[in-house]
Amino acid sequence: MTEQQNVTPTQAEINAALQKGLTQAQQDALRNARVAIVGLGGLGSNIAVALTRLGISQLYLYDFDRVELSNLNRQYYFLDDIGQYKADALVKHLRQINHYADLHAQVVKITAENIPTLLGSCDIICEALDDAASKAMLVSTVLSTWSDKKLVAASGIAGFGKAEEIISKKINNSFYLCGDGSSDFHDLPLCGARVALCANQQALLVARIILGLEEKQND
């Protein structure tokens, strides 16, 4: 039996695999979009994986925390990631999906002061933070700083509620929100399947925005 050799596919081969069935214009739109993910926990890590599998290759990833054992019930990390910075561990996994992705990862805590520098070059921003005050700060700062950027945030993902309770809605021309809007992880457990549902709703919204499908729906 001939031993199979591991050969890294070319960039063109990976693009073709990830974007099968899309038009050239759609492929170009996805590849050229610059998407930021703020927070790389249960939401952010799963959003990044979904976007990379969609062929979105320009990602800006921000988190200051390290992977802990307690994260493994819902976050896209593994036992050998424990102790590593989430930003570093996630890049390692995303490279296994698209070796040629243009990934900008920083170990940093997002503040109102550094948001203009860190997020200024991005077209779409995904809010994926745990703390309610940090969520509110990010949303408020982004919406008050830019009128041309899209913000996709999340609220209410805890517990074992029904899948159909996790919905996405357009708040205004710049702001989209996913989740059930009410469940609180301080009172309810964080179910990995439900967190991933919300993360994938956010990723799908990002793709729809990039491809112009949200604008068409609201015409």
Side-chain angles (χ1 to χ4, degrees):
M1 182 179 294
T2 303
E3 184 176 343
Q4 185 175 0
Q5 294 182 340
N6 291 322
V7 178
T8 301
T10 65
Q11 186 170 5
E13 289 172 333
I14 288 178
N15 289 342
L18 294 177
Q19 300 178 334
K20 184 178 181 180
L22 298 174
T23 67
Q24 187 62 53
Q26 289 172 327
Q27 294 176 35
D28 293 342
L30 291 170
R31 280 201 298 270
N32 293 331
R34 297 181 299 269
V35 181
I37 304 174
V38 182
L40 304 177
L43 289 171
S45 63
N46 285 293
I47 292 170
V49 169
L51 293 181
T52 302
R53 294 193 191 282
L54 284 168
I56 297 172
S57 58
Q58 295 191 66
L59 295 179
Y60 295 73
L61 309 168
Y62 301 112
D63 198 300
F64 65 92
D65 209 358
R66 294 179 185 266
V67 178
E68 300 178 2
L69 180 61
S70 61
N71 299 151
L72 301 190
N73 69 345
R74 66 194 184 280
Q75 302 183 18
Y76 200 88
Y77 301 107
F78 303 89
L79 287 172
D80 59 1
D81 294 326
I82 292 174
Q84 296 181 35
Y85 284 113
K86 292 180 180 179
D88 296 333
L90 187 57
V91 165
K92 175 181 63 178
H93 300 316
L94 298 180
R95 292 275 183 225
Q96 293 299 308
I97 301 170
N98 185 354
H99 182 73
Y100 305 97
D102 188 9
L103 305 175
H104 307 264
Q106 286 193 44
V107 179
V108 63
K109 184 178 178 65
I110 291 286
T111 66
E113 290 71 31
N114 64 23
I115 281 176
T117 299
L118 296 178
L119 305 182
S121 63
C122 299
D123 308 307
I124 303 174
I125 299 162
C126 290
E127 179 278 311
L129 298 166
D130 292 331
D131 178 66
S134 298
K135 283 176 172 284
M137 179 277 295
L138 177 64
V139 170
S140 175
T141 304
V142 168
L143 294 180
S144 63
T145 303
W146 297 287
S147 60
D148 60 335
K149 297 187 188 300
K150 303 294 186 182
L151 175 63
V152 179
S155 176
I157 55 173
F160 291 84
K162 295 180 180 179
E164 57 264 32
E165 294 172 353
I166 301 292
I167 62 172
S168 58
K169 57 184 177 181
K170 185 174 184 178
I171 305 302
N172 58 41
N173 287 334
S174 300
F175 185 29
Y176 298 79
L177 188 63
C178 298
D180 64 31
S182 61
S183 64
D184 190 336
F185 71 90
H186 293 294
D187 302 317
L188 296 168
L190 284 168
C191 167
R194 201 164 196 258
V195 172
L197 279 173
C198 188
N200 281 286
Q201 285 270 26
Q202 287 183 267
L204 180 58
L205 256 179
V206 169
R208 287 180 56 81
I209 291 169
I210 292 170
L211 297 176
L213 298 176
E214 281 297 301
E215 286 75 7
K216 291 179 181 179
Q217 180 177 324
N218 292 280
D219 284 347

